[in-house]
Amino acid sequence: MEVIAKTLAQFAAGTKYEDLPGDIVQCAKERIIDILSAAMAGASLWEYRNGIIDTSRNMGDSGYSTIMGRKETASFPAAAAINCAYAHSMELDDGHRNAGAHAGAVVIPTALSLAEKLNIDGRHVILAVVIGYDVAYRFARSMSPLLIENGFHPSAVCGTMGAAAVSASLLRLNACQAAKALSLSALFASGLMEITHSGQSSKGAMVGHAAFAGIYSAIMAKNGFSAPEAPFSGMSGLFKAMSDNNVDTAKMLEGLGENYEIKDTYVKLYPTCRHTHAPIEGTVALCSEHNIMAEEVKRVDIGTHQVAFNLTGAAGAPCDIQQARFSTPYCVASALINGTFGIVDLKEENINDGRRAQLSSLIHVYVDKEVASEFPKKRGAKIRIELKNGTSFEKTIYNLKGAPELPVGYMDLCDKFKNMAQVSVSEENIRKICGVVQNFEKLAELSAFMRLLKSTN
């Protein structure tokens, strides 16, 4: 087996909970409560929240595993895929600052659904979560930016290997079996960036497939299936197919087991594409610092990098919730009005609001050379607001709230969870969930905790 699959498999099969530093354990717990927030938002707001369950039923699926924020249940692979789809559907899931991927939406639902099925304790779930983030982000970071440029979606592609690593850990696969699980997952890794241009409503389901595929790969490996010897670096392997064979293997594996990729995760405070966050935050800051009112604005220029421009720079007002989440003009217009951007800004009446449409027409997005030169290490924006009285204000912003350099605390994440979960879950259960996650390593098994995540409304 090639060195990448073999080395990562040894990491997945050989790492123990006791090997994890205390700050990494705490980081994993913060990732869990944050992804639960994203999943709860999807369970109550995603337009296909019912359709994905109906699709599972139509395919003959049945079982007793928890679907977050819902009363329904499903088989554990289907529940993992559905929960993953929920977590990714509202653009509230965390991400890696240098990888262009969202591992948590795949890794955590996979870990929770499989652990619920196998009656696994919280310590092993934390371990599997850390391993899954590490594997997914090492692939995404090493294949960036060619993976995206070649049209492949990092979260769906690299999330598959992350889910396979999670499953290998929880299924207690040995190193040989774990290597086969990772190898097989490369065969099932898929996802296209075209989904960000049209059909965005189904993007969550696309990423959800990664959870299912990762579990499938690990169980296949456990049952003795053969796997390619060089799934990633082979002459027809994943790296050649998706990133022009441009992966530095040594750099990809550097610091494995010492420098955990989960530390470089950012939190999303706005339910939109991450590339809109710098424009939103910069606009909010300028308005606060200079007491700018939306009615005073004549023009706003947003300088960004090429990837952000391609994904979120379309001029004018959006037509639906998916376009709104990927529209820098709409997000900035809403920030001018509200001083922030939240779930309320994705309601149909606000998307169709004439005032926001008029403001959106005043916002111009362009590729700025300075901002572009910092990409992908820094993903920022230059914001310039010109007022009707002729004055103007400008700010360039790279470090966002929720980034590793500006982290938010566990209680902030609990507040986010409460805001997203209150539609589906009782206030009492919300308090219990936040308390349990903070002490997750003490859980003997997950069944009671997973019941708290079911809808009570």
Side-chain angles (χ1 to χ4, degrees), residues 38-46 49-50 68-70 86 89-90 424:
M40 288 295 177
S44 60
L45 294 170
W46 185 34
R49 60 190 180 277
N50 297 322
M68 297 176 194
R70 303 298 297 256
Y86 285 168
S89 64
M90 297 305 295
S424 305

Side-chain angles (χ1 to χ4, degrees), residues 319-350:
C319 297
D320 55 37
I321 186 173
Q322 293 301 326
Q323 289 185 13
R325 292 204 299 254
F326 280 80
S327 171
T328 290
Y330 177 76
C331 292
V332 171
S334 298
L336 287 170
I337 292 172
N338 294 334
T340 188
F341 191 100
I343 289 291
V344 67
D345 295 297
L346 296 175
K347 290 187 175 181
E348 185 176 356
E349 60 265 30
N350 287 327

Side-chain angles (χ1 to χ4, degrees), residues 32 111-112 115 120-130 170 440 446:
I32 290 170
L112 293 178
I120 290 174
D121 62 58
R123 286 159 60 96
H124 283 91
V125 171
I126 289 173
L127 173 62
V129 165
V130 172
L170 292 177
F440 210 74
L446 261 70

Side-chain angles (χ1 to χ4, degrees), residues 88 90 152 198 300 306 350 368 443:
H88 190 66
M90 297 305 295
F152 295 102
S198 60
V300 180
Q306 190 68 55
N350 287 327
D368 181 84
L443 275 183

Side-chain angles (χ1 to χ4, degrees), residues 62-121:
S62 62
Y64 301 98
S65 293
T66 300
I67 300 176
M68 297 176 194
R70 303 298 297 256
K71 289 181 169 66
E72 298 95 334
T73 57
S75 67
F76 72 92
I82 291 168
N83 291 334
C84 172
Y86 285 168
H88 190 66
S89 64
M90 297 305 295
E91 301 295 334
L92 274 167
D93 47 333
D94 62 23
H96 191 284
R97 58 180 172 180
N98 295 325
H102 306 276
V106 182
V107 165
I108 289 171
T110 299
L112 293 178
S113 292
L114 191 52
E116 180 184 25
K117 174 66 176 179
L118 300 176
N119 295 319
I120 290 174
D121 62 58

